[in-house]
Amino acid sequence: MRILLLCSSFNGLTQRAWLELRRAGHDVSVELALSPEVMVEAAELAKPDLIICPFLKERVPEALWRAHRTVIVHPGPPGDRGPSSLDWAILEGEAEWGVTALQAVEEMDAGPIWGFRTFAMPSEAPRKSALYNGPVAEAAAELVVEVAAKAGDASFVPAPLDYRSPGVRGRLRRAMRHADREFSWSEPTEDVLRRVRAADGAPGGRAELCGLPVRVFDVYRGPELSGAAGQVVARREGAVLVHTGDGTVWVGHLRVEQDGAIKLPAAMALGEAVAGVPQRSGYSEITYDRSEGVGVVSFDFYNGAMSTEQCRRLASALRYAVAQDTRVLVVRGGEVFSNGIHLNVIEAARHPELEAWMNINAINAVCREIVGCTSQLVVTSIGGNAGAGGVMMGLGADRVVVRDSVVLNPHYRTMGLFGSEYWTYVLPRRVGAEHALRLTQEALPVGAAEAVECGLADKALPGSRLDFERRVLEYAERLAADPGYDRLLAGRRQVREVDERRRPLDAYRAEELAEMSRDMFDDRGGFRLARREFVRKVKAAATPERLAGHRELSGASLAGGAGASHM
């Protein structure tokens, strides 16, 4: 079928829908919902058999849904309506939630139902972004394929929304207001966690800290200490420890509510206000564990962004792990594996170009530890999405294992960068020079199955993130106990030696950094503007040509032609 995806942004869920529909054999194009006129004109150009809206904040124009079958993917169970569904589900502690595909009609979220999925909610309040990128994305990916199949069945009729039906348990919920997101540090820890996580990653919980109005993100339960509520008593790795009504919470990120402020690591956002606060253990973005001949370096950086300081700590952890007497090293990411350098920290720096340069050199040091390890076999465990240098970082291992739901974006072009992280070595080595060029120039997402087929990854495993991590560990333990281990390790060493003689790693690094210096200091590819628009969430001016397949013959007439899109 010819399918048009209408979306507010080409985010992770939209990318997943795009990948699943294309894999099912459909002809899929994408249009950003920049205005009602753009949406209508996009449909006129695409002439789709079906329009699917996997992530749409805007109202579908009447002219569109009357002329074309248009299906909305709503992040709530049947009967749930309103723009703040996940926020309310987390805040009110729902035990079960779901995703519904419904036809667009005049009244929002009230159309006939094409299909739905339900799932159990975690017992502890989840972060909204984790819920959205996890079970919601999983359900939506299944639903869009089901919807496309039903659209091809002439006998299928969607079921009208009927609140008398026992399967329709949702209700209309109003949009969350600022007041709904406000909290006091004197509230119990559980309430603070739930209020903030219901608004994470946007727009954040609202509170006051160190005398400043702030948006709060990325919170974790801290030790049960007594003290004045709202007092910052410790800091660690960019996070601050704050007293609540009955304990403490670690706050990872904040945005001070003032003109031009952006989301930053909490200690950086508060600056001098916490400069004298003592360091305390109990919070760590990086851990090391070992069992059965396997060492595991785990890192979990908020939104997958890796600052200069975080990269230095991770490189140090890898050096420690490589020096241990284990046989296999597992490099394991978190909710998001990695998206490369930390654009927010770079943008907030006094000298952004210099910070960007330090950041790229620091992440290169991480990649060097992975590529250069010859004392152990290395397995990369990619259980969450990855982009740009984050993908390349994972490719230096002997084995790359991905969760079957992940989306990879192995390119830098949309950010105006040539890229580094030894990608000119690790990417062609895995997929070949021709395919490496295509991946980096087309700048399109790659699903797990496609990653295995083209050589980006060696294995894709199903299951929840915890199930996936357990299976990767078991795989690493089998590798460590393999009778042919010595031969495998000798092979790794031999390949590294041959490759080094042919062309040293330092040569790849020097050539990449020469290109990156022109991007970062001379701004030849528009990195400065692309970074600023990404960090400040500036709405795209037009749909990128690489996504709008229906415009290949029609020309870039919509909204003034091509524009930048950042993932």
Side-chain angles (χ1 to χ4, degrees):
M1 296 182 71
R2 187 186 292 252
I3 298 175
L4 173 64
L5 293 184
L6 271 181
C7 55
S8 297
S9 74
F10 196 53
N11 66 355
L13 189 150
T14 308
Q15 292 179 32
R16 184 83 189 280
W18 182 84
L19 287 163
E20 296 291 344
L21 289 168
R22 283 166 56 94
R23 193 158 186 84
H26 302 292
D27 177 9
V28 189
S29 58
V30 177
E31 189 67 41
L32 299 183
L34 303 175
S35 71
E37 294 75 22
V38 165
M39 287 190 265
V40 171
E41 187 179 352
E44 291 173 352
L45 286 171
K47 298 179 173 54
D49 303 306
L50 176 68
I51 296 174
I52 299 179
C53 308
F55 169 62
L56 188 66
K57 297 179 180 178
E58 295 75 15
R59 181 183 291 274
V60 178
E62 183 176 355
L64 195 66
W65 59 258
R66 287 200 182 277
H68 302 273
R69 286 183 300 180
T70 303
V71 177
I72 310 288
V73 178
H74 176 75
D80 179 81
R81 296 166 58 197
S84 305
S85 294
L86 296 182
D87 314 59
W88 286 118
I90 296 167
L91 193 59
E92 297 181 352
E94 295 285 352
E96 184 182 77
W97 205 241
V99 178
T100 306
L102 45 90
Q103 193 156 323
V105 295
E106 186 169 357
E107 195 172 354
M108 288 188 74
D109 303 333
I113 296 170
W114 283 63
F116 66 92
R117 297 286 190 279
T118 58
F119 52 82
M121 290 280 280
S123 55
E124 180 167 317
R127 195 156 65 192
K128 183 172 66 169
S129 58
L131 187 65
Y132 183 82
N133 293 318
V136 170
E138 294 282 329
E142 292 180 9
L143 274 176
V144 293
V145 175
E146 178 184 318
V147 164
K150 287 177 175 177
D153 179 1
S155 65
F156 172 75
V157 178
L161 176 62
D162 183 358
Y163 282 98
R164 295 170 298 180
S165 171
V168 178
R169 290 174 289 175
R171 66 182 190 275
L172 174 63
R173 301 170 191 248
R174 62 173 173 80
M176 269 204 177
R177 306 184 182 110
H178 287 322
D180 298 313
R181 304 191 187 279
E182 292 175 355
F183 69 92
S184 167
W185 297 107
S186 61
E187 295 174 31
T189 296
E190 181 63 33
D191 292 355
V192 172
L193 291 173
R194 192 167 292 280
R195 185 77 59 179
V196 174
R197 289 177 177 174
D200 200 346
R206 292 165 59 95
E208 188 174 290
L209 195 57
C210 298
L212 299 169
V214 293
R215 294 281 186 157
V216 185
F217 310 86
D218 188 26
V219 292
Y220 300 88
R221 194 182 303 275
E224 292 186 7
L225 304 174
S226 58
Q231 181 183 3
V232 177
V233 290
R235 55 194 175 96
R236 169 85 173 178
E237 297 182 359
V240 296
L241 185 66
V242 184
H243 276 298
T244 64
D246 61 358
T248 61
V249 292
W250 285 103
V251 177
H253 285 75
L254 293 170
R255 177 168 64 81
V256 178
E257 295 213 71
Q258 63 185 35
D259 290 343
I262 58 177
K263 188 191 301 185
L264 292 168
M268 184 177 178
L270 293 173
E272 288 299 317
V274 296
V277 172
Q279 297 277 348
R280 178 191 174 97
S281 62
Y283 171 91
S284 184
E285 298 171 310
I286 305 168
T287 59
Y288 177 73
D289 300 286
R290 53 188 294 172
S291 68
E292 304 295 332
V294 176
V296 182
V297 172
S298 301
F299 58 94
D300 194 354
F301 300 130
Y302 185 68
N303 289 340
M306 299 170 62
S307 69
T308 302
E309 180 58 32
Q310 288 169 319
C311 290
R312 288 171 178 167
R313 284 192 271 109
L314 181 54
S316 178
L318 288 168
R319 282 191 291 273
Y320 174 84
V322 168
Q324 304 309 301
D325 62 348
T326 50
R327 294 161 69 87
V328 176
L329 169 61
V330 175
V331 181
R332 174 198 287 166
E335 178 188 320
V336 179
F337 179 77
S338 171
N339 281 319
I341 59 177
H342 202 310
L343 299 178
N344 283 46
V345 169
I346 291 169
E347 181 70 11
R350 180 174 297 179
H351 301 292
E353 288 72 29
L354 181 59
E355 178 60 36
W357 184 251
M358 292 169 61
N359 202 163
I360 199 66
N361 277 277
I363 198 171
N364 279 351
V366 173
C367 299
R368 183 64 177 258
E369 291 298 327
I370 295 171
V371 174
C373 174
T374 55
S375 59
Q376 305 177 37
L377 294 177
V378 184
V379 176
T380 305
S381 174
I382 304 180
N385 295 347
V391 177
M392 308 308 176
M393 184 178 79
L395 300 185
D398 298 277
R399 305 285 190 275
V400 177
V401 187
V402 297
R403 192 153 67 100
D404 64 0
S405 60
V406 303
V407 177
L408 307 177
N409 278 282
H411 57 82
Y412 305 83
R413 187 166 68 87
T414 56
M415 200 49 65
L417 294 173
F418 176 82
S420 194
E421 293 97 0
Y422 299 94
W423 80 262
T424 54
Y425 170 63
V426 297
L427 186 60
R429 185 181 63 161
R430 281 193 155 267
V431 304
E434 184 179 337
H435 196 62
L437 184 64
R438 186 159 63 248
L439 287 173
T440 51
Q441 291 303 305
E442 288 182 350
L444 293 171
V446 177
E450 184 186 347
V452 173
E453 289 166 5
C454 75
L456 263 181
D458 299 291
K459 186 186 289 284
L461 298 175
S464 68
R465 194 178 124 202
L466 289 178
D467 288 338
F468 170 78
E469 290 177 354
R470 176 181 54 78
R471 292 183 184 199
V472 173
L473 183 57
E474 290 170 352
Y475 170 70
E477 289 171 348
R478 290 195 301 272
L479 202 57
D482 193 308
Y485 172 85
D486 290 337
R487 176 181 51 80
L488 292 172
L489 185 60
R492 174 176 175 81
R493 287 174 177 157
Q494 184 178 10
V495 167
R496 183 80 286 283
E497 288 171 5
V498 170
D499 287 352
E500 188 70 12
R501 284 197 301 271
R502 182 184 299 120
R503 190 178 190 201
L505 280 176
D506 284 343
Y508 290 98
R509 176 178 175 273
E511 187 172 282
E512 291 169 1
L513 289 178
E515 299 286 349
M516 288 290 274
S517 69
R518 297 174 66 191
D519 292 334
M520 290 177 168
F521 294 104
D522 300 337
D523 199 35
R524 65 171 176 178
F527 173 55
R528 193 171 299 145
L529 177 61
R531 180 187 72 231
R532 185 173 301 125
E533 291 185 342
F534 176 85
V535 166
R536 301 187 184 283
K537 305 294 184 285
V538 175
K539 191 172 183 178
T543 302
E545 287 300 313
R546 70 184 195 282
L547 304 179
H550 58 276
R551 281 194 263 155
E552 290 177 2
L553 299 178
S554 306
S557 63
L558 300 186
S565 175
H566 314 305
M567 296 156 195

